[in-house]
Amino acid sequence: MVYLDHRLARGVFGREDELIFVAIANHISVALETARAARMQLERVSLERDLKAMHQQATTDALTGLKNRRALIVNCHSQ
């Protein structure tokens, strides 16, 4: 929300000024929404990366890099 006023005089801002202010406010609104969507996309990508890493850790032996018992169980349940 944008509020504009002049403390010393009335009627300083006319209809043309209002249209400009509305256009600026709309532009700001779009920019904020775009930034929010971009931030959500980055968070989603980060969460997907973390989930993949957790799955890798849960199904692979850290020392040998071979699939472990859990990987076998997950694979059996998915088929």
Side-chain angles (χ1 to χ4, degrees):
M1 176 177 277
V2 177
Y3 176 77
L4 295 170
D5 195 6
H6 195 288
R7 290 188 289 180
L8 302 177
R10 288 186 154 192
V12 173
F13 300 114
R15 178 71 178 143
E16 187 175 312
D17 295 317
E18 179 184 348
L19 294 174
I20 292 170
F21 295 146
V22 168
I24 291 170
N26 288 336
H27 183 73
I28 291 169
S29 175
V30 169
L32 290 172
E33 182 61 24
T34 301
R36 186 187 69 79
R39 185 180 65 244
M40 288 179 64
Q41 174 67 12
L42 288 174
E43 289 174 6
R44 186 182 65 77
V45 168
S46 177
L47 288 172
E48 287 176 352
R49 188 180 328 114
D50 291 347
L51 182 61
K52 184 177 180 181
M54 289 171 52
H55 183 266
Q56 180 72 18
Q57 289 175 350
T59 59
T60 306
D61 182 80
L63 184 60
T64 65
L66 299 174
K67 298 293 182 184
N68 63 17
R69 182 174 183 267
R70 177 172 289 204
L72 176 64
I73 293 170
V74 168
N75 190 29
C76 287
H77 286 289
S78 67
Q79 292 182 7

Coordinates of all heavy atoms in Angstrom, one line a residue:
M1 N 0.8 -1.2 0.0 CA 0.0 0.0 0.0 C 0.9 1.2 0.0 O 1.9 1.3 0.7 CB -0.9 0.0 1.2 CG -1.7 1.3 1.3 SD -2.9 1.3 2.7 CE -4.2 0.3 2.0
V2 N 0.5 2.2 -0.8 CA 1.3 3.5 -0.9 C 0.3 4.6 -0.5 O -0.8 4.7 -1.0 CB 1.8 3.7 -2.3 CG1 2.5 5.0 -2.4 CG2 2.7 2.6 -2.7
Y3 N 0.8 5.5 0.4 CA 0.0 6.6 0.8 C 0.8 7.9 0.6 O 2.0 8.0 1.1 CB -0.4 6.5 2.3 CG -1.1 7.7 2.8 CD1 -2.5 7.9 2.5 CD2 -0.5 8.7 3.6 CE1 -3.1 9.0 2.9 CE2 -1.1 9.8 4.0 CZ -2.5 10.0 3.7 OH -3.1 11.1 4.1
L4 N 0.3 8.8 -0.2 CA 1.0 10.0 -0.5 C 0.1 11.2 -0.1 O -1.1 11.2 -0.4 CB 1.3 10.1 -2.0 CG 2.3 9.1 -2.5 CD1 2.4 9.1 -4.0 CD2 3.7 9.3 -1.9
D5 N 0.8 12.2 0.5 CA 0.0 13.4 1.0 C 1.0 14.5 1.0 O 2.2 14.4 1.0 CB -0.6 13.1 2.4 CG -1.6 14.1 2.7 OD1 -2.0 14.9 1.9 OD2 -2.1 14.0 3.9
H6 N 0.4 15.7 1.1 CA 1.3 16.9 1.2 C 0.8 17.6 2.5 O -0.4 18.0 2.6 CB 1.1 17.8 0.0 CG 2.2 18.9 -0.1 ND1 2.2 20.0 0.8 CD2 3.3 19.0 -0.9 CE1 3.2 20.7 0.5 NE2 3.9 20.1 -0.5
R7 N 1.6 17.9 3.4 CA 1.2 18.4 4.7 C 0.8 19.9 4.6 O 0.0 20.4 5.4 CB 2.3 18.2 5.8 CG 2.5 16.8 6.2 CD 3.4 16.7 7.3 NE 4.8 17.0 6.9 CZ 5.9 17.0 7.6 NH1 5.8 16.7 8.9 NH2 7.0 17.3 7.1
L8 N 1.4 20.6 3.7 CA 1.1 22.1 3.7 C 0.0 22.5 2.7 O -0.5 23.6 2.9 CB 2.5 22.8 3.3 CG 3.7 22.5 4.2 CD1 4.9 23.2 3.6 CD2 3.4 22.9 5.6
A9 N -0.3 21.7 1.8 CA -1.3 22.1 0.8 C -2.2 21.0 0.3 O -1.7 19.8 0.3 CB -0.6 22.8 -0.4
R10 N -3.4 21.3 0.0 CA -4.3 20.3 -0.5 C -4.4 20.4 -2.1 O -4.1 21.5 -2.6 CB -5.8 20.6 0.0 CG -5.9 20.3 1.4 CD -7.3 20.4 1.8 NE -7.5 19.5 3.0 CZ -8.7 19.2 3.5 NH1 -9.8 19.7 2.9 NH2 -8.8 18.4 4.5
G11 N -4.7 19.3 -2.7 CA -4.8 19.2 -4.1 C -3.5 19.3 -4.9 O -3.5 19.7 -6.0
V12 N -2.4 19.0 -4.2 CA -1.1 19.1 -4.9 C -1.0 18.0 -5.9 O -0.5 18.2 -7.0 CB 0.0 19.0 -3.9 CG1 1.3 18.9 -4.6 CG2 0.0 20.2 -2.9
F13 N -1.6 16.8 -5.6 CA -1.5 15.7 -6.5 C -2.9 15.6 -7.3 O -3.9 15.5 -6.7 CB -1.3 14.4 -5.8 CG 0.1 14.4 -5.0 CD1 0.1 14.4 -3.6 CD2 1.3 14.5 -5.7 CE1 1.3 14.4 -2.9 CE2 2.5 14.5 -5.0 CZ 2.5 14.5 -3.6
G14 N -2.8 15.5 -8.6 CA -4.0 15.4 -9.4 C -4.2 14.0 -10.0 O -3.5 13.1 -9.6
R15 N -5.1 13.9 -10.9 CA -5.5 12.6 -11.5 C -4.3 12.0 -12.2 O -4.0 10.8 -12.1 CB -6.7 12.8 -12.4 CG -7.1 11.5 -13.1 CD -7.7 10.6 -12.2 NE -8.1 9.4 -12.9 CZ -8.1 8.2 -12.4 NH1 -7.6 7.9 -11.2 NH2 -8.4 7.2 -13.2
E16 N -3.5 12.9 -12.9 CA -2.4 12.4 -13.7 C -1.3 11.8 -12.7 O -0.7 10.8 -13.0 CB -1.8 13.5 -14.5 CG -0.7 13.0 -15.4 CD -0.2 14.1 -16.4 OE1 -1.0 14.8 -17.0 OE2 1.1 14.3 -16.4
D17 N -1.1 12.5 -11.6 CA -0.2 12.0 -10.6 C -0.6 10.7 -10.0 O 0.2 9.8 -9.8 CB 0.0 13.0 -9.4 CG 0.6 14.4 -9.9 OD1 1.6 14.3 -10.6 OD2 0.1 15.4 -9.5
E18 N -1.9 10.6 -9.8 CA -2.5 9.3 -9.2 C -2.2 8.2 -10.2 O -1.8 7.1 -9.8 CB -4.0 9.5 -9.0 CG -4.6 8.2 -8.5 CD -6.1 8.3 -8.4 OE1 -6.7 9.4 -8.5 OE2 -6.8 7.3 -8.2
L19 N -2.4 8.4 -11.5 CA -2.1 7.3 -12.5 C -0.7 6.9 -12.5 O -0.3 5.7 -12.6 CB -2.5 7.8 -13.9 CG -4.0 8.1 -14.1 CD1 -4.3 8.6 -15.5 CD2 -4.8 6.8 -13.9
I20 N 0.2 7.9 -12.3 CA 1.7 7.6 -12.3 C 2.0 6.8 -11.0 O 2.7 5.8 -11.1 CB 2.5 8.9 -12.4 CG1 2.4 9.5 -13.8 CG2 4.0 8.6 -12.0 CD1 3.0 10.9 -13.9
F21 N 1.4 7.2 -9.9 CA 1.7 6.5 -8.6 C 1.1 5.1 -8.7 O 1.8 4.1 -8.2 CB 1.0 7.3 -7.5 CG 1.6 8.6 -7.2 CD1 0.8 9.6 -6.7 CD2 3.0 8.9 -7.4 CE1 1.4 10.9 -6.5 CE2 3.5 10.1 -7.1 CZ 2.7 11.1 -6.7
V22 N 0.0 4.9 -9.3 CA -0.6 3.6 -9.4 C 0.3 2.7 -10.3 O 0.5 1.5 -10.0 CB -2.0 3.6 -10.0 CG1 -2.5 2.2 -10.4 CG2 -3.0 4.2 -8.9
A23 N 0.8 3.2 -11.4 CA 1.7 2.5 -12.3 C 3.0 2.1 -11.5 O 3.4 1.0 -11.7 CB 2.0 3.3 -13.5
I24 N 3.5 3.0 -10.8 CA 4.7 2.7 -10.0 C 4.4 1.6 -9.0 O 5.2 0.7 -8.8 CB 5.3 4.0 -9.3 CG1 5.9 4.9 -10.4 CG2 6.4 3.6 -8.3 CD1 6.2 6.3 -9.9
A25 N 3.3 1.7 -8.3 CA 2.9 0.8 -7.3 C 2.7 -0.6 -7.9 O 3.1 -1.6 -7.3 CB 1.7 1.2 -6.5
N26 N 2.1 -0.7 -9.1 CA 1.9 -1.9 -9.8 C 3.3 -2.5 -10.2 O 3.5 -3.7 -10.0 CB 1.1 -1.8 -11.0 CG -0.4 -1.5 -10.7 OD1 -0.9 -1.9 -9.6 ND2 -1.1 -0.9 -11.5
H27 N 4.2 -1.7 -10.6 CA 5.5 -2.2 -11.0 C 6.2 -2.8 -9.8 O 6.9 -3.8 -9.9 CB 6.3 -1.0 -11.6 CG 7.7 -1.4 -12.1 ND1 7.9 -2.2 -13.2 CD2 8.9 -1.2 -11.6 CE1 9.2 -2.4 -13.4 NE2 9.8 -1.8 -12.4
I28 N 6.2 -2.1 -8.6 CA 6.8 -2.6 -7.4 C 6.2 -3.9 -7.0 O 6.9 -4.8 -6.6 CB 6.7 -1.5 -6.3 CG1 7.5 -0.3 -6.6 CG2 7.0 -2.1 -4.9 CD1 7.3 0.9 -5.7
S29 N 4.8 -4.0 -7.1 CA 4.2 -5.2 -6.8 C 4.6 -6.4 -7.6 O 4.9 -7.5 -7.1 CB 2.6 -5.0 -6.9 OG 2.0 -6.2 -6.7
V30 N 4.8 -6.2 -8.9 CA 5.3 -7.3 -9.8 C 6.7 -7.6 -9.4 O 7.0 -8.8 -9.4 CB 5.1 -6.8 -11.3 CG1 5.9 -7.8 -12.2 CG2 3.7 -6.7 -11.7
A31 N 7.5 -6.6 -9.2 CA 8.9 -6.9 -8.8 C 9.0 -7.7 -7.5 O 9.8 -8.7 -7.4 CB 9.7 -5.6 -8.7
L32 N 8.2 -7.4 -6.5 CA 8.2 -8.1 -5.3 C 7.7 -9.6 -5.5 O 8.3 -10.5 -4.9 CB 7.3 -7.4 -4.2 CG 7.9 -6.1 -3.7 CD1 6.8 -5.4 -2.8 CD2 9.2 -6.3 -2.9
E33 N 6.7 -9.7 -6.3 CA 6.2 -11.1 -6.5 C 7.2 -11.9 -7.3 O 7.4 -13.1 -7.0 CB 4.9 -11.0 -7.3 CG 4.2 -12.3 -7.6 CD 3.9 -13.1 -6.3 OE1 3.7 -12.5 -5.3 OE2 3.8 -14.4 -6.4
T34 N 7.9 -11.3 -8.3 CA 8.9 -12.0 -9.0 C 10.1 -12.4 -8.1 O 10.6 -13.6 -8.2 CB 9.4 -11.1 -10.2 OG1 8.4 -10.8 -11.0 CG2 10.5 -11.8 -11.0
A35 N 10.5 -11.6 -7.2 CA 11.5 -11.9 -6.2 C 11.1 -13.0 -5.3 O 11.9 -13.9 -5.0 CB 11.9 -10.6 -5.4
R36 N 9.9 -13.0 -4.9 CA 9.3 -14.1 -4.0 C 9.3 -15.4 -4.7 O 9.8 -16.4 -4.2 CB 7.9 -13.7 -3.5 CG 7.4 -14.7 -2.5 CD 5.9 -14.4 -2.2 NE 5.1 -14.7 -3.3 CZ 4.7 -16.0 -3.7 NH1 5.1 -17.0 -3.0 NH2 3.9 -16.2 -4.7
A37 N 8.9 -15.4 -6.0 CA 8.9 -16.6 -6.8 C 10.3 -17.2 -7.0 O 10.5 -18.4 -6.9 CB 8.2 -16.4 -8.1
A38 N 11.2 -16.3 -7.3 CA 12.6 -16.7 -7.5 C 13.2 -17.3 -6.2 O 13.9 -18.3 -6.2 CB 13.5 -15.5 -7.9
R39 N 12.9 -16.7 -5.0 CA 13.4 -17.2 -3.8 C 12.8 -18.6 -3.5 O 13.5 -19.5 -3.1 CB 13.0 -16.2 -2.6 CG 13.6 -16.6 -1.3 CD 13.3 -15.7 -0.2 NE 11.9 -15.7 0.1 CZ 11.0 -14.7 -0.1 NH1 11.5 -13.5 -0.5 NH2 9.8 -14.8 0.2
M40 N 11.5 -18.8 -3.8 CA 10.9 -20.1 -3.6 C 11.5 -21.1 -4.5 O 11.7 -22.3 -4.1 CB 9.4 -19.9 -3.8 CG 8.6 -19.2 -2.7 SD 6.9 -19.1 -3.0 CE 6.3 -20.8 -3.0
Q41 N 11.8 -20.7 -5.7 CA 12.4 -21.7 -6.6 C 13.8 -22.1 -6.1 O 14.2 -23.3 -6.2 CB 12.6 -21.0 -8.0 CG 13.3 -21.9 -9.0 CD 12.6 -23.2 -9.4 OE1 11.5 -23.4 -9.1 NE2 13.4 -24.0 -10.1
L42 N 14.6 -21.1 -5.6 CA 15.9 -21.5 -5.1 C 15.8 -22.4 -3.9 O 16.6 -23.3 -3.7 CB 16.7 -20.2 -4.7 CG 17.2 -19.3 -5.8 CD1 17.8 -18.0 -5.3 CD2 18.2 -20.1 -6.6
E43 N 14.8 -22.1 -3.0 CA 14.6 -23.0 -1.8 C 14.2 -24.4 -2.3 O 14.6 -25.4 -1.7 CB 13.5 -22.4 -0.9 CG 14.0 -21.2 -0.2 CD 12.8 -20.5 0.6 OE1 11.7 -21.1 0.7 OE2 13.1 -19.4 1.1
R44 N 13.3 -24.5 -3.3 CA 12.9 -25.8 -3.8 C 14.1 -26.6 -4.3 O 14.3 -27.8 -4.0 CB 11.8 -25.7 -4.9 CG 11.2 -27.0 -5.3 CD 10.2 -26.8 -6.5 NE 10.8 -26.3 -7.7 CZ 11.5 -27.0 -8.5 NH1 11.7 -28.3 -8.3 NH2 12.0 -26.5 -9.6
V45 N 14.9 -25.9 -5.1 CA 16.1 -26.6 -5.7 C 17.1 -27.0 -4.6 O 17.6 -28.2 -4.6 CB 16.9 -25.7 -6.7 CG1 18.2 -26.2 -7.0 CG2 16.0 -25.4 -7.9
S46 N 17.2 -26.2 -3.6 CA 18.1 -26.5 -2.4 C 17.5 -27.7 -1.7 O 18.3 -28.7 -1.3 CB 18.2 -25.3 -1.5 OG 19.0 -25.7 -0.4
L47 N 16.2 -27.8 -1.4 CA 15.6 -28.9 -0.7 C 15.7 -30.2 -1.5 O 16.0 -31.3 -1.0 CB 14.1 -28.6 -0.4 CG 13.9 -27.6 0.6 CD1 12.4 -27.2 0.7 CD2 14.3 -28.1 2.0
E48 N 15.5 -30.1 -2.8 CA 15.7 -31.3 -3.7 C 17.1 -31.8 -3.6 O 17.4 -33.0 -3.6 CB 15.3 -31.0 -5.1 CG 13.8 -30.8 -5.3 CD 13.4 -30.4 -6.7 OE1 14.4 -30.1 -7.6 OE2 12.2 -30.4 -7.1
R49 N 18.1 -30.9 -3.6 CA 19.5 -31.3 -3.6 C 19.8 -32.0 -2.2 O 20.5 -33.0 -2.2 CB 20.4 -30.1 -3.7 CG 21.9 -30.4 -3.9 CD 22.8 -29.2 -4.0 NE 22.2 -28.1 -4.8 CZ 21.9 -26.9 -4.2 NH1 22.2 -26.7 -2.9 NH2 21.4 -25.9 -4.9
D50 N 19.3 -31.4 -1.1 CA 19.5 -32.0 0.2 C 18.8 -33.4 0.3 O 19.4 -34.3 0.9 CB 18.9 -31.1 1.3 CG 19.7 -29.8 1.4 OD1 20.8 -29.7 0.9 OD2 19.1 -28.8 2.1
L51 N 17.6 -33.5 -0.3 CA 16.9 -34.8 -0.2 C 17.7 -35.8 -1.0 O 17.8 -37.0 -0.6 CB 15.5 -34.6 -0.8 CG 14.6 -35.9 -0.8 CD1 14.4 -36.4 0.6 CD2 13.3 -35.6 -1.5
K52 N 18.2 -35.5 -2.2 CA 19.0 -36.4 -3.0 C 20.3 -36.8 -2.2 O 20.6 -38.0 -2.2 CB 19.4 -35.8 -4.3 CG 20.1 -36.7 -5.2 CD 20.4 -36.0 -6.5 CE 21.2 -36.9 -7.5 NZ 21.5 -36.3 -8.8
A53 N 20.9 -35.9 -1.5 CA 22.1 -36.2 -0.7 C 21.8 -37.1 0.4 O 22.5 -38.1 0.7 CB 22.8 -34.9 -0.2
M54 N 20.7 -36.8 1.1 CA 20.2 -37.7 2.2 C 19.9 -39.1 1.8 O 20.3 -40.1 2.4 CB 19.0 -37.1 2.9 CG 19.4 -35.8 3.7 SD 17.9 -34.9 4.3 CE 17.0 -36.2 5.2
H55 N 19.3 -39.2 0.6 CA 19.0 -40.5 0.1 C 20.3 -41.3 -0.3 O 20.4 -42.5 0.0 CB 18.1 -40.4 -1.2 CG 17.7 -41.7 -1.8 ND1 18.4 -42.3 -2.7 CD2 16.7 -42.5 -1.4 CE1 17.8 -43.5 -3.0 NE2 16.8 -43.6 -2.3
Q56 N 21.2 -40.6 -0.9 CA 22.5 -41.2 -1.2 C 23.2 -41.7 0.1 O 23.7 -42.8 0.1 CB 23.4 -40.1 -1.9 CG 24.8 -40.6 -2.3 CD 24.7 -41.6 -3.5 OE1 23.7 -41.7 -4.2 NE2 25.8 -42.4 -3.6
Q57 N 23.2 -40.9 1.1 CA 23.8 -41.3 2.4 C 23.1 -42.5 3.0 O 23.7 -43.3 3.6 CB 23.8 -40.1 3.4 CG 24.8 -39.0 3.0 CD 24.7 -37.8 3.9 OE1 23.8 -37.7 4.7 NE2 25.6 -36.9 3.8
A58 N 21.8 -42.5 2.9 CA 21.0 -43.6 3.5 C 21.1 -44.9 2.8 O 20.9 -45.9 3.4 CB 19.5 -43.2 3.6
T59 N 21.4 -44.9 1.5 CA 21.4 -46.1 0.7 C 22.8 -46.5 0.3 O 23.0 -47.5 -0.5 CB 20.5 -46.0 -0.5 OG1 21.0 -44.9 -1.3 CG2 19.1 -45.8 -0.1
T60 N 23.9 -45.8 0.7 CA 25.2 -46.1 0.2 C 26.1 -46.2 1.4 O 26.1 -45.4 2.4 CB 25.7 -45.0 -0.7 OG1 24.8 -44.9 -1.8 CG2 27.1 -45.4 -1.3
D61 N 27.0 -47.2 1.4 CA 28.0 -47.4 2.5 C 29.0 -46.2 2.3 O 29.6 -46.0 1.2 CB 28.7 -48.7 2.4 CG 29.7 -48.9 3.5 OD1 29.3 -49.3 4.6 OD2 30.9 -48.7 3.2
A62 N 29.3 -45.5 3.4 CA 30.2 -44.3 3.3 C 31.6 -44.7 3.0 O 32.3 -44.0 2.4 CB 30.1 -43.6 4.7
L63 N 32.0 -45.9 3.5 CA 33.4 -46.3 3.3 C 33.7 -46.9 1.9 O 34.6 -46.5 1.2 CB 33.8 -47.4 4.4 CG 35.2 -47.9 4.4 CD1 36.2 -46.7 4.6 CD2 35.4 -48.9 5.4
T64 N 32.8 -47.8 1.5 CA 33.0 -48.5 0.2 C 32.3 -47.8 -1.0 O 32.7 -48.0 -2.1 CB 32.5 -49.9 0.3 OG1 31.1 -49.9 0.5 CG2 33.2 -50.7 1.4
G65 N 31.2 -47.1 -0.7 CA 30.5 -46.5 -1.8 C 29.5 -47.4 -2.4 O 28.8 -47.1 -3.4
L66 N 29.4 -48.7 -1.9 CA 28.5 -49.7 -2.4 C 27.1 -49.5 -1.8 O 26.9 -48.9 -0.7 CB 29.0 -51.1 -2.1 CG 30.4 -51.4 -2.7 CD1 30.8 -52.8 -2.2 CD2 30.3 -51.4 -4.2
K67 N 26.1 -50.0 -2.5 CA 24.7 -49.9 -2.0 C 24.6 -50.8 -0.8 O 25.2 -51.8 -0.7 CB 23.7 -50.4 -3.1 CG 23.7 -49.6 -4.4 CD 23.2 -48.2 -4.1 CE 23.1 -47.3 -5.3 NZ 22.7 -46.0 -5.1
N68 N 23.8 -50.3 0.2 CA 23.7 -51.1 1.4 C 22.4 -51.8 1.5 O 21.6 -51.8 0.5 CB 23.9 -50.1 2.6 CG 22.8 -49.0 2.7 OD1 21.8 -49.1 2.0 ND2 23.1 -48.0 3.5
R69 N 22.1 -52.4 2.6 CA 20.9 -53.2 2.8 C 19.6 -52.3 2.6 O 18.6 -52.8 2.0 CB 20.9 -53.7 4.2 CG 19.7 -54.6 4.6 CD 19.9 -55.2 6.0 NE 18.8 -56.1 6.3 CZ 17.7 -55.8 7.0 NH1 17.6 -54.5 7.4 NH2 16.8 -56.6 7.2
R70 N 19.6 -51.1 3.0 CA 18.5 -50.2 2.9 C 18.2 -50.0 1.4 O 17.1 -50.0 0.9 CB 18.7 -48.9 3.5 CG 17.6 -47.9 3.3 CD 17.7 -46.7 4.1 NE 17.5 -47.1 5.5 CZ 17.1 -46.3 6.4 NH1 16.9 -45.0 6.2 NH2 16.9 -46.7 7.6
A71 N 19.2 -49.8 0.6 CA 19.1 -49.7 -0.9 C 18.4 -50.9 -1.5 O 17.5 -50.8 -2.3 CB 20.4 -49.4 -1.6
L72 N 18.7 -52.1 -1.0 CA 18.1 -53.3 -1.5 C 16.6 -53.3 -1.1 O 15.8 -53.6 -2.0 CB 18.8 -54.5 -0.9 CG 18.2 -55.9 -1.2 CD1 18.3 -56.1 -2.7 CD2 18.9 -57.0 -0.5
I73 N 16.3 -52.9 0.1 CA 14.9 -52.9 0.5 C 14.1 -51.9 -0.3 O 13.0 -52.2 -0.7 CB 14.8 -52.6 2.1 CG1 15.4 -53.8 2.8 CG2 13.4 -52.4 2.5 CD1 15.6 -53.5 4.3
V74 N 14.7 -50.7 -0.4 CA 14.0 -49.7 -1.2 C 13.7 -50.1 -2.6 O 12.7 -49.9 -3.2 CB 14.8 -48.3 -1.2 CG1 14.2 -47.3 -2.2 CG2 14.8 -47.8 0.2
N75 N 14.7 -50.8 -3.2 CA 14.6 -51.2 -4.6 C 13.6 -52.3 -4.7 O 12.8 -52.4 -5.6 CB 16.0 -51.7 -5.1 CG 16.0 -52.0 -6.6 OD1 15.3 -51.4 -7.3 ND2 16.8 -53.0 -7.0
C76 N 13.5 -53.2 -3.7 CA 12.5 -54.3 -3.7 C 11.1 -53.7 -3.6 O 10.2 -54.2 -4.3 CB 12.8 -55.3 -2.6 SG 14.2 -56.3 -2.9
H77 N 10.9 -52.7 -2.8 CA 9.6 -52.1 -2.6 C 9.1 -51.3 -3.8 O 7.9 -51.2 -4.0 CB 9.6 -51.3 -1.3 CG 9.6 -52.1 0.0 ND1 8.5 -52.8 0.4 CD2 10.5 -52.3 0.9 CE1 8.8 -53.4 1.5 NE2 10.0 -53.1 1.9
S78 N 10.1 -50.8 -4.5 CA 9.7 -50.0 -5.7 C 9.3 -50.8 -6.9 O 8.7 -50.3 -7.8 CB 10.8 -49.0 -6.0 OG 11.9 -49.7 -6.5
Q79 N 9.6 -52.1 -6.9 CA 9.3 -52.9 -8.0 C 8.1 -53.7 -7.8 O 7.3 -54.1 -7.4 CB 10.5 -53.8 -8.3 CG 11.7 -53.1 -8.8 CD 12.9 -54.0 -9.2 OE1 12.7 -55.2 -9.2 NE2 14.0 -53.4 -9.5

